[in-house]
Amino acid sequence: MYDYLIAGSGLYGSIFAYEAGKRGKKCLVIDKRPHIGGNAYTEEQGGINVHKYGAHIFHTSSKEVWDYMNGFADFNHYVNSPVAVYHDELYNLPFNMNTFSRLWGIKTPAEAKAKINGQIAELNIGEPKNLEEQALKLVGRDIYEKLIKEYTEKQWGRPCAELPAFIIRRLPVRFTYDNNYFNDRYQGIPIGGYTRIIEKMLEKADVRTGTDYFELIKEQPGIAKKTLYTGLIDEFYGYSLGELEYRSVRFEEERLDTDNYQGNAVVNYTSKEVPYTRIIEFKHFEFGAQPATVIAKEYSSEWKKGDEPYYPVNNDKNNALFEKYKALAAGEENVIFGGRLADYKYYDMDKTAEAALAAARQEM
Ligand code: UDP
């Protein structure tokens, strides 16, 4: 009998397993996929670490989390600076002086502020009630229309006016010439890829991939004293209160016979005419000098059963349903829930790590 059955070997489950192992607990970690790592899984192809479930850039303002992760790998000095393509125009992200200068031919922060404030004043928006109002209020109409509206509607499959405002507050708006996508103090990509980190975290645990939680628990209900479940919370309860909505992502991966396809790791395509949201060129995460390259085009879609879930759709309707599942979950004596899917939260990796460490501390 195990102390913990951990369903899901993503970052949350793996950190919890590591912490449990450190405290002498016996863990069985299962994953229904044929590999560990969840969506952080990377696969080495000819010296290039391919992020098989989309770009994962580690960034945090927490020294504790940064030091913790650095205990499993060295991180390089990659700084995420995506480029956005809108028709034949190209802009730096996040929204900063480089973006404003290219857009309006201006040079100074005062000119940029005057331009944005002029556009905001015309709109007369009070407290922003949705992503559209929030975006317009942050950056005005020009940027909203060229760099936000169509990209967001592609990614989320819903009008911006029906999406929560917090999603757009993830992006910095700056009046300096600084293309760093994040405001966090620490940032980088683990040298050797994320899979190696997860392998180290799981060193003391028993691991079974290709194993479905629901099938295992049906056959061996007594396999562990407690369960940590990191899958879909609504699926755990057989969707009995209704289905939560998620977005899924599909990747078209290509290996190309060129050493440098797009000159940057991340290029966003912000117009609706391009069917994918972005192209990732993985070698640039690690300053790769290989003669060939691997790219992935990212397509967003509504999640349906059988797809991989990626993003919770945190609108009022789903959040209210999640609260009901959460109330059920609170009544479980031997099951802990955590991670992006069970917490139904748009966690970044650092927040996932923080939450897993807190859960382990509380538990043991
Ligand atoms: N976003 C946008 N234009 C861009 C990039 C992002 O409007 O070129 C918006 C979009 O609404 C997206 C949100 O910002 O959902 C958060 O983007 P981020 O890159 O943080 O998302 P992730 O990498 O988690 O998909």
Side-chain angles (χ1 to χ4, degrees), residues 73-87:
D74 287 330
F75 282 69
N76 70 15
H77 64 284
Y78 176 78
V79 172
N80 197 32
S81 311
V83 162
V85 175
Y86 181 76
H87 299 295

Side-chain angles (χ1 to χ4, degrees), residues 2-6 16-17 20-21 25-29 204-206:
Y2 290 97
D3 292 305
Y4 291 99
L5 168 64
I6 298 175
F16 190 94
K25 308 284 184 193
K26 238 177 117 33
C27 297
L28 172 63
V29 179
K204 285 194 180 158
D206 288 347

Side-chain angles (χ1 to χ4, degrees), residues 58-69:
F58 198 89
H59 56 95
T60 188
S61 291
S62 158
K63 185 167 179 351
E64 187 200 349
V65 169
W66 182 246
D67 290 344
Y68 187 81
M69 293 300 290

